[in-house]
Amino acid sequence: MAHKESIHGRWSSRWVFILAAVGSAVGLGNIWKFPYLAGENGGGAFVLLYLFCIMVIGVPAMMAEIMLGRRGRQSPINTMHTLAIESGHRPMWQWLGFMGMVAGFIILSYYSVIAGWSIAYLFQSGTGKFSGQTVDGVNAIFDKFINDPEKLLLYHTVFMAMTMFVVMRGVKSGLETAVKFLVPALFILLIVLVGYAMNTSKFVEGLEFLFKPDFSKLTFSVVITAIGQAFFTLSLGMGAIMVYGSYLSKKTSIIKTTFAIAGADTLVAILAGIAIFPIVFENGLDPTGGPGLVFVTMTLAFGKMPAGDFFATLFFTLLTLAAWTSSISILEPVVTYLVENKGFKRATAALITGVFTWLLGIVTVLSFNVWKFSFSFAGDRKDYGMFDILDIIAANIMLPLGVMLIGIFAGWFMSREASRDELDLGDSRIYEVWRFLVRYVTPTAIFLVLLKLLGVLDSITKAVMNMFAF
Ligand code: TRP
């Protein structure tokens, strides 16, 4: 039988849950990753597909994840174990929780390195390093920075320590205050930046790049990147939202909170895109510039703005905080598991997982300088580092796999009564739509994409075609 309350605590209100979940969702994924992926993947068509994935796969999957968490009331591994048994199935489903832990471990390892960039930029802005810089100037500063492994390591260490600190103390206490202030402040600053972008000569061009789809650019690698990004940005597929759901009161409406979280998250990503691309085009920067995009464009813009140093410091402070409220949600599932099953104290669990994640992060630190190479992924050849490999494995393969299995479990293995009761939607149309989406659409879509990724789909298509050919 499912527990009534999680042993790790409970959110004090629905509002706190929304803030915490928004804090988890809104992070580097929105402001750093979304713009550079949109840039690398040709803009409009990618953005449209990404929005489509959020609505059709992401929202129902988030409802499913929150629902499973609240019903199981434990770490993802134990939640899946309990729920599988509750619905008369084998406890094997707990492996979904293990996969999530591994995905989270990988994601946090590089997430922390990039968040470290934000901390470094925060200090640089504070000393006025960017004011009046040219395009070449900001590019040179960025290149010099990422070619300095010791610096990257230092800031990665600082960020990882910050993450461990919060998780050691329990997610709730630090989070409430941080997020209440952070999310509104981030919105306001993004709107200021959009205002700046509106006054550039290339505002319309930027909007067109983002929103005018050119479907000839829709290659397979764009499809898989858009799906992965939809899950990454909503924190889905590895149990982070499941754990947060396990602290949620039974009275809260899952569907309303899901829309609030997904809406806020999407808005932040789109605002970041609108702020960045006009600046990219006005200054002749390369939209396919990769992970450095937001750092280069924003510092350039701040450098030209009145009170730019102040705004730059504020921007990177908020970006760091946004990354912080996300990273703690990645660490939390592992920590709850170690506390429940291995009898660790919360502080010890956070310390140990943090140290291992920190170690893996060194791979990413080195991947921007000494460890670069080139290979082709999903038909696209480009220069990669170990960072890209970790990102592809975790975000583009493991998260979709996790979301697919969550959909299958919630749609096929959990009884209709159980999910209807937990979602509290009665016999409504909405419930039927949700169930249809998680039963059929989510697993099929992801399955096809993963098959194609493995190259299996192409051979099956060919084999079938051959059967009918004369
Ligand atoms: N969603 C966060 C962002 O956009 C990152 C994140 C937090 C995450 N928790 C996660 C990504 C769980 C995948 C899975 O920055």
Side-chain angles (χ1 to χ4, degrees):
M1 204 33 227
H3 297 220
K4 284 229 159 62
E5 293 272 323
S6 164
I7 58 163
H8 311 284
R10 205 189 82 189
W11 303 117
S12 31
S13 70
R14 172 178 113 97
W15 182 228
V16 175
F17 169 71
I18 294 184
L19 286 176
V22 170
S24 164
V26 174
L28 296 174
N30 309 62
I31 294 169
W32 160 73
K33 205 173 184 198
F34 170 75
Y36 95 74
L37 290 181
E40 278 181 343
N41 289 281
F46 168 86
V47 175
L48 200 68
L49 192 64
Y50 157 84
L51 292 173
F52 180 79
C53 292
I54 299 262
M55 282 305 297
V56 175
I57 308 180
V59 164
M62 181 176 276
M63 288 171 65
E65 229 187 286
I66 298 175
M67 171 188 89
L68 296 179
R70 188 169 71 179
R71 204 166 177 84
R73 291 270 189 239
Q74 298 153 78
S75 70
I77 292 173
N78 293 325
T79 285
M80 290 314 296
H81 186 109
T82 306
L83 295 183
I85 289 176
E86 184 194 76
S87 47
H89 300 286
R90 299 180 44 202
M92 216 169 59
W93 280 99
Q94 66 183 336
W95 285 98
L96 177 55
F98 277 107
M99 185 181 74
M101 267 179 21
V102 177
F105 173 59
I106 299 174
I107 291 175
L108 184 55
S109 77
Y110 65 77
Y111 202 86
S112 168
V113 176
I114 312 293
W117 296 3
S118 180
I119 301 179
Y121 266 62
L122 187 177
F123 288 124
Q124 303 274 17
S125 310
T127 60
K129 180 140 179 193
F130 300 111
S131 62
Q133 284 287 355
T134 58
V135 174
D136 291 340
V138 289
N139 273 322
I141 295 172
F142 182 74
D143 285 339
K144 180 159 171 255
F145 175 59
I146 63 165
N147 276 301
D148 185 344
E150 278 155 36
K151 272 237 176 71
L152 299 189
L153 186 63
L154 169 71
Y155 291 107
H156 163 51
T157 310
V158 171
F159 186 79
M160 210 53 229
M162 287 163 57
T163 303
M164 288 177 343
F165 175 72
V166 174
V167 179
M168 280 164 111
R169 301 190 30 176
V171 164
K172 207 178 89 182
S173 51
L175 200 76
E176 295 203 22
T177 19
V179 185
K180 260 182 212 160
F181 144 83
L182 166 77
V183 177
L186 195 64
F187 267 115
I188 295 170
L189 189 64
L190 279 174
I191 289 169
V192 170
L193 287 168
V194 169
Y196 175 84
M198 282 170 116
N199 287 320
T200 61
S201 59
K202 294 288 168 62
F203 186 60
V204 178
E205 201 171 309
L207 287 188
E208 277 182 357
F209 178 78
L210 266 182
F211 297 114
K212 208 163 144 195
D214 170 1
F215 288 108
S216 67
K217 296 222 174 95
L218 210 56
T219 61
F220 176 63
S221 97
V222 174
V223 173
I224 190 145
T225 313
I227 292 191
Q229 173 61 9
F231 301 153
F232 186 92
T233 192
L234 293 176
S235 306
L236 294 177
M238 53 79 51
I241 290 293
M242 204 184 280
V243 178
Y244 277 19
S246 76
Y247 308 149
L248 187 61
S249 139
K250 185 85 176 110
K251 287 183 290 216
T252 305
S253 153
I254 289 181
I255 185 165
K256 278 193 207 147
T257 46
T258 297
F259 273 104
I261 299 159
D265 184 74
T266 308
L267 194 60
V268 171
I270 296 293
L271 285 176
I274 297 178
I276 285 173
F277 284 103
I279 300 169
V280 169
F281 293 121
E282 186 176 66
N283 295 287
L285 291 163
D286 179 10
T288 67
L293 191 68
V294 67
F295 293 92
V296 170
T297 46
M298 284 298 116
T299 45
L300 188 63
F302 289 127
K304 295 179 181 173
M305 230 179 253
D309 294 339
F310 167 75
F311 280 117
T313 315
L314 187 62
F315 176 78
F316 289 111
T317 307
L318 291 175
L319 185 59
T320 306
L321 292 174
W324 198 10
T325 57
S326 299
S327 64
I328 57 181
S329 78
I330 313 181
L331 200 54
E332 182 72 4
V334 191
V335 169
T336 51
Y337 168 74
L338 291 177
V339 170
E340 285 169 12
N341 292 37
K342 306 285 171 207
F344 282 40
K345 286 208 187 68
R346 173 173 271 277
T348 324
L351 196 68
I352 292 176
T353 37
V355 168
F356 279 103
T357 316
W358 176 83
L359 277 174
L360 183 63
I362 295 176
V363 170
T364 296
V365 162
L366 298 178
S367 86
F368 290 102
N369 29 72
V370 297
W371 217 353
K372 282 189 275 204
F373 45 88
S374 119
F375 74 100
S376 71
F377 164 67
D380 268 12
R381 191 168 183 85
K382 76 173 202 173
D383 286 331
Y384 287 100
M386 278 306 289
F387 155 70
D388 300 273
I389 297 194
L390 292 174
D391 187 34
I392 287 170
I393 293 174
N396 296 349
I397 298 174
M398 296 177 85
L399 294 184
L401 203 58
V403 172
M404 181 177 95
L405 293 172
I406 287 168
I408 292 177
F409 185 81
W412 295 92
F413 285 77
M414 205 170 170
S415 70
R416 176 183 273 274
E417 291 68 44
S419 62
R420 207 175 38 196
D421 167 55
E422 199 62 48
L423 288 175
D424 202 16
L425 291 172
D427 259 327
S428 61
R429 256 277 161 66
I430 301 180
Y431 174 75
E432 295 304 332
V433 172
W434 172 81
R435 192 164 154 93
F436 177 79
L437 290 173
V438 292
R439 264 171 95 90
Y440 300 102
V441 179
T442 307
T444 319
I446 299 176
F447 186 67
L448 289 178
V449 168
L450 290 178
L451 271 190
K452 168 124 175 100
L453 188 66
L454 296 172
V456 183
L457 196 60
D458 291 335
S459 9
I460 295 177
T461 328
K462 272 200 203 104
V464 172
M465 289 310 213
N466 280 334
M467 272 165 56
F468 292 103
F470 296 101

